[in-house]
Amino acid sequence: MLKVKSMNINPNSLEIWSKELTKIYGKGEQKITAVDEINLFVKKGVHGFLGPNGAGKSSTINMLVGAISITNGQAKIKGNNAGSQDAKKFIGFLPQDPALYGRMTGEQYLQYFGRVSGFGKEKAIEKTKELLKQFNLTEAKNRKIKTYSRGMKQKIALASALIKEPHVLILDEPTSNLDPVGRAEIIKEIRALSKNICVFVSSHVLSEIEQMCDYITIINKGKIVLTNKIENIKETHSKANNVYILNTNSNKEALKLLENQEFIEKVWIDARGLNIHIIPSDTHTLKQKVPKILINNNILLEKFSQEEFTLEDIFLEMMNDNFRGI
Amino acid sequence: MTENTNTEQFELTNRGKSNPTIEIFKKTLFGDIGTLPRLIGGILVLLFIPIILAFSIDTNGLTTNSSIMEGTFFLVFYLIYMPTLLIIISLNSAPLISAEVNQGTMLTLVSYPISRRNIFLSKFFASLIFGLIIISSSLSIICISIYLRFPFQDIFLFYIINLLNWTLVLFIFQSVTIGISCLVSKPRNALFIPLMILMVFFLIFPFMKMFLLVSSDGNPPYEQFYLYWVDIHYHFVNLLYSMLKGVLNLSPDLLQHVMTMGIAKYSGSVPVETNYVHPIISFIIVLTMGLCILFSGFLYFKNRDIQN
């Protein structure tokens, strides 16, 4: 597990901070620890919060926004205790599968939440116009929300989270139940928003997190498994798993040539015969000699690189390790 | 806290003019329960039979000193108005909190900088105002109709006493309904429980009381087991009776119909006034009951976990 370099960070300097944050549901034998002493250090930018279903993502988020009580530990939003009125002033929140007031029009809905946020009438109207335009909902502003498509509903919910001009935007599975077009639109909006504010986004769709986030925290069974910058995680993982990929116009022949080389620890071809996988015993020699061997044997080199890991590969490996109790 | 954060906080707390509590109150009153069709519908339902009754009053033999309490008008009016009003209150108030929690809109609302106490109070007072509009409008129309039919000398006092009585009934039942709306998770239960209370205490129990007040040895079970303490309907009628008796200054003969609604026992076929509980104690009992359920609901709502 990778740990944050310094545990002595001033909580007030962070957008979101938590120390040993714990949520326990039920009592006695039916007690379930949904979130188990997690520490969060969230700075400006987009911070992904990953985990499988039931890992504790929504419970953590609901504690941060003050919807559920904190059993143990503490959490702060911009230095204010999570759940307090002061903390809520800084938060914009998009729940998972947000419920909306279907009988209101899009315009009424945004104006209402503008007023609930404390804005005067004129400011609420102005912000509503701005957000309807930003989310391409101006034409549908007078339609009742119950007639909106799922994507439009998600957009209006995101707009209502933004109407209070939050410093910290907390999004719980913002793209769940959306079609690919809807997902792309929401991701685009989130990326644009992250230039000005902190976005803390939970998801189990790893490709999206990879597109959106600078930092990620992976949670499983209520515990944090990993937290770091995505590029650091990938780099560390690639170094730890020193595998090279080779592709030629004649993989079978190339495999035979490489099998008995002393600088190679292990070499194999994948099931479909598309790539040769090499674990070197001497990386430097591998990089020097493999191209030469292939050229000398008149084999055309098409690809030779260190294997790149996607966030999904890393996540799945983490989950497997976690299941094995590592 | 850093200087920067202090400045941000200052900007955030001083940026607007609107009061979130008032906004939720307005949305609940005008958007959720107090829509024009609901308001008109509620008033019309409450008017339907009382207006027919008002125009069917036999004016033969009435003089300028006659009281509206003469005849059976008030008894029938009470028996129709009371359950109808309580059903309207239940239908409007029961889903206010439970449905928002159940559907998930409350999760969004609690993430805004407004306390749960204020969310609760705004919804409670919005439904109370709606009930008051319905009661005052319907009673006004009923009393004007009666006055047009015959100018009873005590019609204005009758209006005031009824307004006070039904406002109290509204407040107590509203407290119970909103309290239950906070305590249960399913909106249908939030509606079902107040309707059950209505059925049991205002329909089944008064009916059973006819048998509970009968005894061959002069010691009926209703008195023997002090059942009047838990008879909510008795307490409401006890209060109404004392108000009518005290303010209208009527002869006991004219109040016989009121007695038969819940506070009389019978000596043969003649209703006799009972004095089980002082009206002020009745008032304290119903008020305490309403406030206890309301406060329990509030405490539960304040501390409960709200999530999808």
Side-chain angles (χ1 to χ4, degrees), chain B residues 220-257:
Chain B
Y222 189 76
E223 291 178 354
Q224 193 184 348
F225 299 108
Y226 305 103
L227 292 176
Y228 42 82
W229 286 109
V230 293
D231 184 356
I232 296 165
H233 183 242
Y234 163 80
H235 294 298
F236 277 119
V237 178
N238 194 20
L239 262 170
L240 177 63
Y241 180 76
S242 69
M243 282 195 284
L244 288 167
K245 193 178 166 186
V247 178
L248 295 182
N249 197 22
L250 298 171
S251 67
D253 290 349
L254 287 175
L255 286 168
Q256 273 193 5
H257 294 304

Side-chain angles (χ1 to χ4, degrees), chain A residues 149-297:
Chain A
S149 69
R150 208 182 275 270
M152 288 164 87
K153 282 179 181 168
Q154 198 75 354
K155 280 186 190 176
I156 206 86
L158 183 56
S160 73
L162 290 169
I163 201 159
K164 59 203 268 201
E165 296 176 345
H167 292 223
V168 179
L169 185 62
I170 299 177
L171 312 172
D172 193 0
E173 309 265 5
T175 57
S176 61
N177 302 324
L178 289 182
D179 61 26
V181 177
R183 281 174 183 234
E185 282 180 340
I186 294 289
I187 290 169
K188 192 179 148 196
E189 290 296 340
I190 293 168
R191 287 176 68 175
L193 289 167
S194 67
K195 287 171 190 164
N196 305 315
I197 57 175
C198 163
V199 183
F200 185 69
V201 55
S202 90
S203 180
H204 57 255
V205 185
L206 297 135
S207 55
E208 288 172 7
I209 289 284
E210 207 165 359
Q211 287 176 56
M212 282 187 277
C213 303
D214 310 315
Y215 277 89
I216 58 160
T217 294
I218 298 178
I219 184 172
N220 191 29
K221 293 178 182 173
K223 285 183 180 290
I224 288 180
V225 185
L226 182 149
T227 180
N228 208 331
K229 262 188 162 182
I230 290 186
E231 57 192 63
N232 291 350
I233 292 169
K234 283 184 172 178
E235 197 183 315
T236 312
H237 204 81
S238 295
K239 280 178 187 168
N241 296 275
N242 196 15
V243 178
Y244 282 78
I245 301 289
L246 177 67
N247 190 18
T248 68
N249 64 341
S250 176
N251 282 346
K252 283 183 183 173
E253 202 179 329
L255 183 67
K256 276 182 190 171
L257 292 166
L258 297 173
E259 268 174 345
N260 298 319
Q261 300 293 337
E262 56 188 17
F263 55 87
I264 290 175
E265 190 182 310
K266 193 178 173 186
V267 60
W268 73 96
I269 193 162
D270 59 32
R272 288 185 293 170
L274 295 175
N275 289 311
I276 296 168
H277 297 251
I278 306 166
I279 298 176
S281 51
D282 179 352
T283 307
H284 186 73
T285 316
L286 176 87
K287 286 178 184 173
Q288 270 189 335
K289 290 200 170 175
V290 167
K292 280 181 189 172
I293 293 168
L294 296 176
I295 289 164
N296 292 342
N297 289 278

